[in-house]
Amino acid sequence: MKLVVVSAGLSVPSSTRLLADRLAKATAARVPAEVEVVELRDLAVEIAHNFTNGFPGRALGAAIGAVTEADGLIVVTPVFSASYSGLFKSFFDVLEQGALAGKPVLIAATGGSARHSLVLEHALRPLFAHLRAVVVPTGVYAASEDWGAEGLAERIERAAGELAGLMTGLMTGLSAAGPARDARSASAVEVSAVAPAVAPAEGPVRRPRETVAQSASAGRGARTDGFQVVPFEQQLAALRTR
């Protein structure tokens, strides 16, 4: 599996990159994954050029490919004007439509004050919901006073566990969905091969009233019998394979 980390930190060293690294380490400890970090600071010029000419440069193209092919994403941005940074938003604006559909994403942000912690819910979560990603329930916000304080480590571990669970479930669902699709295809071919051709009836087909009533009553009793519960992992895998 492949885990891609997108960091929008601007300084070196960066608290945004530090949080991204801690989240990646915690996730990789739970699920075997190759970790790749995308530093948006190094792609700022190519992102701007992509807006004006419509073509990504070599480095930007590689970053887009890594994000698109990832089995899970960790995205971290500094807070600018009570929202994500413009560089962070610009990168996700240049992705193809549907590139993140069904992809597990862990959202995180850093800021100078705890007052901006709701940026996760009013900015980041709606953005990735619009991109049809699957956002883990726990987002991680780190203010300046959170580093070294109690609570941040627990939030990191909880969010990493949720992302690892989605990534593992996705791979399990894909493995289970493959044989199921093959079995359905084989069954459809077999049925089509043995089913006799039926000539269309002339005019509407009428059924006796008692037959309609019996069918309706039978339908009410059998409605729940044919109901099939599809595990979330298989639903997620089906969304990724569309």
Side-chain angles (χ1 to χ4, degrees):
M1 282 187 286
K2 185 175 183 180
L3 174 64
V4 174
V5 183
V6 178
S7 172
L10 298 180
S11 60
V12 180
S14 165
S15 60
T16 300
R17 176 61 187 270
L18 177 60
L19 179 58
D21 288 342
R22 290 187 59 177
L23 289 167
K25 182 178 179 181
T27 304
R30 289 169 168 79
V31 59
E34 174 190 351
V35 179
E36 180 177 346
V37 179
V38 175
E39 280 282 7
L40 298 186
R41 177 185 64 249
D42 301 330
L43 302 174
V45 174
E46 290 193 19
I47 291 173
H49 286 169
N50 189 89
F51 278 113
T52 57
N53 60 30
F55 297 97
R58 181 176 300 177
L60 178 59
I64 292 174
V67 168
T68 303
E69 297 169 4
D71 298 299
L73 284 180
I74 296 174
V75 297
V76 192
T77 178
V79 175
F80 285 2
S81 302
S83 186
Y84 38 66
S85 71
L87 177 61
F88 180 87
K89 179 60 163 57
S90 295
F91 174 73
F92 290 100
D93 281 343
V94 301
L95 296 182
E96 293 290 336
Q97 185 176 3
L100 300 186
K103 197 178 300 295
V105 176
L106 191 165
I107 56 174
T110 58
S113 169
R115 294 192 300 271
H116 296 304
S117 60
L118 286 178
V119 68
L120 296 171
E121 306 303 326
H122 73 69
L124 283 167
R125 196 175 297 276
L127 170 63
F128 288 96
H130 172 73
L131 296 175
R132 297 169 54 204
V134 180
V135 185
V136 303
T138 301
V140 180
Y141 178 82
S144 299
E145 61 267 23
D146 289 330
W147 297 102
E150 186 177 355
L152 178 60
E154 288 76 6
R155 296 196 300 274
I156 289 174
E157 293 296 327
R158 184 168 65 249
E162 293 168 354
L163 179 61
L166 278 180
M167 292 174 64
T168 304
L170 173 62
M171 297 307 296
T172 302
L174 284 173
S175 300
R181 285 197 304 271
D182 295 340
R184 288 195 298 269
S185 300
S187 177
V189 171
E190 181 179 353
V191 170
S192 62
V194 301
V198 179
E202 296 182 0
V205 178
R206 300 180 180 275
R207 292 190 299 171
R209 291 185 178 178
E210 57 274 13
T211 304
V212 175
Q214 291 171 0
S215 299
S217 61
R220 286 194 298 271
R223 179 173 297 178
T224 57
D225 294 344
F227 182 75
Q228 181 181 2
V229 178
V230 180
F232 174 72
E233 292 82 2
Q234 293 188 21
Q235 296 182 41
L236 181 59
L239 181 60
R240 288 291 303 277
T241 55
R242 287 180 182 175

